[in-house]
Structures are given as structure tokens and as C-alpha cells.
Amino acid sequence: MLTLLTLTCLLVSTQALAAPILILGDSLSASYGIDEDKGWVNLLRAKLPEHEIINGSVSGETTAGGLRRLPALLESGKPKLVLIELGGNDGLRGFTAQQLKENLTKIIILVKETHAKVLLSEVMVPPNYGPRYAQMFADVYNQLAKEHEITLMPFFMKDIAIYPELMQRDRIHPNAQAQMQIADFVQPWVTQILE
């Protein structure tokens, strides 16, 4: 009897911990240029085996594309946490900071309406886009974090992009060697929010 009660408690405890996590990102999260099983999202699954991690990332995705796909992802996955890593392709295509903010705002609102938690990843544009545009771009993420009272995670590429040996030939995407470093960086942010 005691053993059955213990097993039941453990099962309930495990189910309570097993919060689905949705990663809504672009090529940086979609294992672009490397095997999917070597990507940081898959490595994060190994670090958080008690959670179901849904990779809703698509290479080339913009905030507008992520916004279009989000309702179906929320419906099918029922995530308790959504990590938003979008905006890089908006910057590469020269979209305005206002467009970026409007789309990310709609994404955040949709997620919050499901009572899921939001972890917003900062995204930076390459320095050749000019300091003014880069600053306007960065300001959007800080503004959104304050306005919606959500956690802002620093851009995980900041300490990787400066090392050529961690980058693919295009100098935009991290290589396989960098993936564990990204998973190690993201994991405590995810764990902190879920706790």
C-alpha cells in the first residue's frame, strides 16, 4: 500500500514538472547547417528530460511568420513556457523597429492569453547595419520586457559570434561546436522561469 502511494505521488510530481516548452525561433534555433540532433534545442532536451520541448523554429522566419504560425503551435503543444527567439531576419531585411515591436507585442499577448510564461530572447543585428539601427532594434526588446513584465534573456550569440571557430562559413550561424554552449546558456533561464 505504501509503495503504491509513493509511486502515485512520484507520478503526480513528475506530471506536474513536465511542462511543455515551445521554442519559437528562426535558423539560430532550427539547427541550420547542422544535423538537427546536434542542435542546441535537442541538447536542451537532454538537459531537461522531464520537460517536453517543442521546436517550432523555422529557418528564415520573421516575427510576422512566427505570429502567423503561433496559434496552431499553442493549440497543438499547450506549452507552459514559450521562448521567443525572433527578429534577426526582420533586421536582415531592413524592417523598421516599429514593425518588429508590433509583431513581437502580438506574439507576447497571444502567449499570455494562454497563461503560458514568456521568455523573450534579445536579438542583435550585425554591426554593419549601423549603430543607430542596432540601438533602435535592441531597445525594442528592452521596452517589451518592461511593458509586458516578462523576462528578457541576453542574446545567446553575443559570446559566440566573436569566435570564428564557433561559426559557420556564413559568419551568421553557429556551428555544431557552439551548440552545447548555447544549450548551457539557455537552460538556467528556462529552469528559473519554470520554478
Side-chain angles (χ1 to χ4, degrees), residues 79-147:
K80 297 299 179 190
L81 168 65
V82 179
L83 191 169
I84 304 165
E85 179 273 306
L86 286 172
N89 290 302
D90 296 53
L92 293 174
R93 296 177 189 190
F95 294 169
T96 66
Q98 186 59 35
Q99 287 173 298
L100 175 72
K101 187 173 183 181
E102 286 175 4
N103 288 333
L104 285 174
T105 296
K106 290 173 184 174
I107 288 171
I108 291 164
I109 290 170
L110 274 177
V111 173
K112 291 183 94 175
E113 283 176 350
T114 69
H115 304 290
K117 295 181 179 180
V118 179
L119 175 57
L120 178 64
S121 174
E122 181 185 33
V123 174
M124 301 171 79
V125 292
N128 60 313
Y129 278 69
R132 183 172 175 274
Y133 183 68
Q135 189 58 56
M136 288 170 61
F137 202 84
D139 287 346
V140 166
Y141 294 89
N142 288 296
Q143 291 164 9
L144 289 170
K146 288 175 185 172
E147 290 169 13

Side-chain angles (χ1 to χ4, degrees), residues 13-23 41-55 77-81 117 187 189-195:
S13 175
T14 303
Q15 287 174 337
L17 282 173
I21 301 165
L22 171 64
I23 313 291
V41 175
N42 195 51
L43 296 175
L44 187 65
R45 287 187 182 110
K47 294 169 78 66
L48 298 171
E50 69 275 25
H51 298 285
E52 177 191 6
I53 299 180
I54 305 152
N55 195 352
K78 303 280 191 292
K80 297 299 179 190
L81 168 65
K117 295 181 179 180
Q187 189 237 323
W189 289 89
V190 169
T191 303
Q192 176 189 333
I193 289 186
L194 289 174
E195 287 175 350

